[in-house]
C-alpha cells in the first residue's frame, strides 16, 4: 500500500468515533481531528474576524473549540451522533458558541481595527462551504482506500478524477496522455464519479446515522451544490 493510501485509511474512522476517541485521550485521534477540521474553523473565523488584531485571536479560539469539543463533561458528553443536522450542526454549534464568547469579552470592542463583523447567516454559509470541502476530502480518501483494495483499475479511476478536477484536463486530453480511446475513458469516468458518490454517501451516513437514504441523498446534493 502506498503512502497516500495509508493516509486514506484514516477516512475509515468516522467523525463521531474520532471525536469520542479524542475525548478519551487518544493523541492520534486528537491530531486527526485537528487536521481534518482546523481549516474549516480557521476560514470561518477569518471571515468573521477581519481586522488584524482580532485575527490574531483565531488560534486561541480554535484551541478553545477543540477543547470544548473533547473535554470531559463538555458538549460532547451531551451530544448524540443522532442529533439533528448531524456532525456539521454539532461542530457549528460549538464554533458559534466559542465565537460569541470571545465577542462578549469586556475588552473585545476596544479592538477597533476591524471591518464590521459579518452577519451570522453569512458566517453559517461560509462554515457550510468549508465543511463541504472537508467532507469531499474525506470522501476522496475513502474512495482511494477502497480502490487500493480493489486493484489497479480502481486506482486508475481515482487518478482519472484527479486529472479531471484537480488538473482541470478534459477527457479528450487525458485520453491522449494515457493513449486510450476517449469513448472508453468516458465510460471509466462515469464509473469513477459513481464510486466517488458512493464514498460520499458513506461519509454522510456516518455523520447523520439516523437519516434515511433519501435524506442522505439530499445532503449529498446540497454539499455538491455548495462547491
Amino acid at each position: 500500500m502506498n503512502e497516500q493510501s495509508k493516509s486514506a485509511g484514516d477516512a475509515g474512522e468516522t467523525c463521531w468515533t474520532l471525536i469520542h476517541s479524542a475525548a478519551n485521550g487518544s493523541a492520534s485521534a486528537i491530531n486527526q481531528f485537528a487536521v481534518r477540521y482546523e481549516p474549516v474553523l480557521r476560514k470561518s473565523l477569518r471571515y468573521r474576524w477581519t481586522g488584524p488584531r482580532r485575527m490574531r485571536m483565531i488560534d486561541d479560539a480554535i484551541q478553545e473549540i477543540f477543547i470544548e469539543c473533547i473535554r470531559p463533561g463538555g458538549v460532547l458528553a451531551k451530544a448524540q451522533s443522532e442529533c439533528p443536522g448531524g456532525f456539521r450542526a454539532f461542530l457549528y454549534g460549538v464554533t458559534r458558541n466559542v465565537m460569541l464568547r470571545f465577542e462578549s469579552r469586556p475588552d473585545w470592542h476596544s479592538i477597533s481595527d476591524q471591518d464590521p463583523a459579518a452577519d451570522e447567516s453569512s458566517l453559517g454559509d461560509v462554515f457550510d462551504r468549508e465543511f463541504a470541502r472537508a467532507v469531499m476530502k474525506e470522501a476522496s480518501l475513502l474512495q482511494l482506500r477502497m480502490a487500493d483494495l480493489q486493484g489497479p483499475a480502481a486506482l486508475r479511476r481515482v487518478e482519472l478524477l484527479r486529472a479531471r478536477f484537480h488538473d482541470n484536463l478534459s477527457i479528450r486530453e487525458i485520453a491522449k496522455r494515457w493513449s486510450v480511446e476517449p469513448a472508453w475513458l468516458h465510460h471509466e469516468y462515469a464509473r469513477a464519479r459513481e464510486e466517488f458518490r458512493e464514498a460520499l454517501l458513506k461519509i454522510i451516513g456516518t455523520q447523520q446515522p439516523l437519516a434515511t437514504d433519501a435524506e442522505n441523498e439530499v445532503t449529498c446534493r446540497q454539499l455538491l451544490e455548495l462547491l
Side-chain angles (χ1 to χ4, degrees):
M1 184 181 293
N2 59 39
E3 290 301 317
Q4 189 178 12
S5 298
K6 287 179 181 179
S7 65
D10 294 344
E13 185 156 29
T14 74
C15 51
W16 287 110
T17 59
L18 182 64
I19 197 172
H20 279 286
S21 296
N24 289 329
S26 167
S28 173
I30 291 171
N31 181 66
Q32 287 184 47
F33 181 68
V35 168
R36 192 178 294 185
Y37 298 112
E38 188 269 348
V40 178
L41 305 179
R42 182 171 299 280
K43 289 180 181 179
S44 299
L45 290 171
R46 286 186 66 182
Y47 177 81
R48 176 82 172 189
W49 297 343
T50 57
R53 293 177 66 189
R54 288 186 177 180
M55 286 180 68
R56 286 197 288 270
M57 298 184 180
I58 288 177
D59 285 340
D60 289 341
I62 291 174
Q63 182 70 17
E64 191 164 324
I65 291 167
F66 285 151
I67 291 173
E68 188 68 16
C69 282
I70 67 177
R71 70 179 175 84
V75 291
L76 181 60
K78 304 172 187 176
Q80 300 294 328
S81 59
E82 299 86 358
C83 69
F87 187 75
R88 187 213 64 80
F90 166 78
L91 186 59
Y92 179 71
V94 177
T95 302
R96 177 181 178 275
N97 288 341
V98 169
M99 177 193 71
L100 294 177
R101 192 183 305 156
F102 268 70
E103 294 179 1
S104 66
R105 293 178 177 179
D107 63 338
W108 182 258
H109 294 291
S110 67
I111 305 173
S112 59
D113 64 348
Q114 81 145 26
D115 298 329
D119 66 88
E120 197 167 319
S121 61
S122 297
L123 174 70
D125 291 342
V126 173
F127 183 93
D128 284 347
R129 185 170 61 250
E130 296 306 324
F131 190 84
R133 288 196 175 104
V135 173
M136 296 301 164
K137 182 177 180 180
E138 288 183 65
S140 296
L141 292 176
L142 179 57
Q143 183 186 15
L144 178 59
R145 184 169 64 93
M146 295 168 64
D148 199 40
L149 297 174
Q150 294 169 10
L155 286 170
R156 191 67 162 169
R157 288 192 291 274
V158 174
E159 186 179 348
L160 172 58
L161 286 183
R162 180 174 178 82
R164 179 69 187 90
F165 291 104
H166 184 272
D167 299 333
N168 199 31
L169 298 175
S170 69
I171 295 298
R172 185 168 295 277
E173 288 174 313
I174 300 169
K176 184 176 181 180
R177 293 189 182 195
W178 290 8
S179 300
V180 297
E181 289 295 326
W184 175 83
L185 198 61
H186 272 290
H187 178 271
E188 288 296 284
Y189 176 59
R191 188 174 176 183
R193 285 172 61 91
E194 181 58 29
E195 288 169 344
F196 175 79
R197 181 176 170 278
E198 290 174 2
L200 178 57
L201 284 170
K202 286 181 182 293
I203 296 297
I204 292 170
T206 66
Q207 294 183 351
Q208 43 190 45
L210 285 192
T212 64
D213 289 345
E215 289 169 336
N216 286 337
E217 289 279 1
V218 170
T219 300
C220 180
R221 289 196 298 272
Q222 290 172 340
L223 290 173
L224 291 169
E225 288 170 1
L226 283 169
L227 301 176

